[in-house]
Amino acid sequence: MEPLAFVIAITAIVGGLAYAAYEVHMKTKTKAGKADIDALQAEIAKLKDRVGTLESIVTDKSYQLKDQINKL
């Protein structure tokens, strides 16, 4: 086998292995990223609900009246 053909064959094999490893890396990265994004979106939804509840409590007239009475 000629040296040039040997180098080309080795380069093709190493390149194929590197590309396969890259594909596996991207697939696992995407799956983990999607799970993290879903968890963060669920947490954001819960926090929005809590903020909405707090806003309704603070803007309630009875809460404001109690606050004014406490200030006196």
Side-chain angles (χ1 to χ4, degrees):
M1 185 180 240
E2 290 186 31
L4 182 61
F6 183 72
V7 170
I8 291 173
I10 294 295
T11 304
I13 292 170
V14 170
L17 290 174
Y19 182 73
Y22 176 74
E23 283 184 334
V24 169
H25 170 71
M26 291 306 291
K27 285 181 184 177
T28 57
K29 181 180 176 183
T30 304
K31 287 180 184 176
K34 183 173 173 74
D36 291 339
I37 290 172
D38 291 342
L40 289 173
Q41 286 177 338
E43 186 174 355
I44 288 171
K46 289 179 187 177
L47 290 173
K48 284 182 179 180
D49 289 340
R50 291 180 67 186
V51 168
T53 302
L54 291 173
E55 286 176 344
S56 65
I57 290 170
V58 171
T59 57
D60 186 23
K61 298 241 185 239
S62 64
Y63 178 82
Q64 292 174 356
L65 180 61
K66 288 178 188 178
D67 190 42
Q68 290 174 356
I69 292 172
N70 287 337
K71 286 182 181 178
L72 295 175

